Amino acid sequence: VFPGVRQAQWLTKTKLVEGLPPAVQGIVDNPALGLQELEERAKHVVSHARLWDTAEVAPRREQYCPVLFENLIHICRLMSGKYSSLSKRMLARNFRIAVTWERESILLQVRGLSGILMNSMTPIPPVASKEEILATREHVLETFYPIAPTIDLQEVNVYKELNDTGQCFRDGYPYSHPHTLFFLESANIRTDRFRPEQLRAKMLMFAFGNALAKAKALHGNDPKVLEQPIVVQSIGTDGQLFQFMVFQLNTTDLVSSDGIKNLVWIDSDQKLYERAQCVPEVKKRVVTKPAGIFGFQPDTFKKFLALYLHGTV
């Protein structure tokens, strides 16, 4: 269970910044990149996922959420005509991770299915400057006294401290840098889905886990402040509402709450569209609400695309 981002911040020794980092927001706002040219196509893929890709009157979330994701990724790939380095990416599905660290006197582990991971041949450059990283020393992490910060975490006996990243960070694997994690909360029954706050906490834990696994693969297990911070992004969606996250691992020295902290930027609860009217609403033989997608939000699509382009443009 992931109760929330505040707990995840303590577990990962992370300072939260609201909104997207300037490096990503700059891509969203740059008209020269031509992102707006793809808006109509994005609107079309929403209609395709919600209205056309089914014989049913109204498609279920477990069907339209993955279809929408695949179509959005397809639009992103169209940019590789402009930026050839975008073709040096690989999507790893059903990707498992296990990584262990110590926090105060507690041994912690993130493990399990890590969403869909997009790997890259080159890392995303750090998004926070040296000054911003040093300034995190002043940041005081929230404690939950008298509640233990590990409340709700599953306790297990660890016989072996696992640090397993599957195939993705092995020597010789060309796409060796984690770029973006995608989490699809596509369960049809609401109670089976993570609520947005829980989803953001899960995204933070797994972005941190992938960054820490990469740091250990590069530098070994000795705790240290990283000369070259590791950036891993995360996008979560239920097929309508999107969560965007950029995580920067500045330190693997996680035992104490003092010193340099890690950083995360979160842009929460961004709707891609207001609603999908799958069948027209008819009253007294008059169509009062036609079928279609209403309230399409191009900025949410641009943010999705900007995280995909980040590190390349």
Side-chain angles (χ1 to χ4, degrees), residues 18 27 33 55 98 112 114 129 147-148 151 171 179 199 202 236 259 279 307:
E18 296 283 350
I27 299 172
L33 295 174
S114 183
S129 66
I147 300 166
I151 190 169
D171 284 350
H179 188 285
L199 177 58
K202 178 181 177 179
V279 287
L307 262 73

Side-chain angles (χ1 to χ4, degrees), residues 215-262:
K216 288 185 175 208
L218 286 172
H219 309 298
N221 287 328
D222 289 343
K224 62 172 74 176
V225 173
L226 300 177
E227 192 71 27
Q228 186 70 8
I230 294 169
V231 175
V232 178
Q233 303 180 142
S234 198
I235 297 175
T237 183
D238 63 1
Q240 180 182 19
L241 196 65
F242 282 72
Q243 317 293 336
F244 300 106
M245 183 178 292
V246 180
F247 177 82
Q248 180 167 306
L249 186 76
N250 300 316
T251 180
T252 60
D253 187 359
L254 304 163
V255 175
S256 145
S257 289
D258 298 333
I260 281 173
K261 317 296 185 296
N262 298 310

Side-chain angles (χ1 to χ4, degrees), residues 104-129:
E104 293 190 348
S105 57
I106 310 154
L107 193 64
L108 296 164
Q109 188 176 69
V110 164
R111 68 176 180 195
L113 274 175
S114 183
I116 299 164
L117 174 64
M118 182 167 70
N119 289 300
S120 173
M121 288 178 110
T122 51
I124 301 173
V127 285
S129 66

Side-chain angles (χ1 to χ4, degrees), residues 119-165:
N119 289 300
S120 173
M121 288 178 110
T122 51
I124 301 173
V127 285
S129 66
K130 291 269 197 296
E131 292 75 30
E132 287 171 283
I133 294 167
L134 287 172
T136 64
R137 287 187 298 200
E138 308 307 315
H139 179 70
V140 178
L141 290 165
E142 182 181 8
T143 57
F144 302 92
Y145 185 82
I147 300 166
T150 51
I151 190 169
D152 294 334
L153 298 189
Q154 186 184 352
E155 245 184 85
V156 293
N157 292 319
V158 176
Y159 301 107
K160 188 179 176 196
E161 286 188 29
L162 277 178
N163 287 298
D164 178 26
T165 58

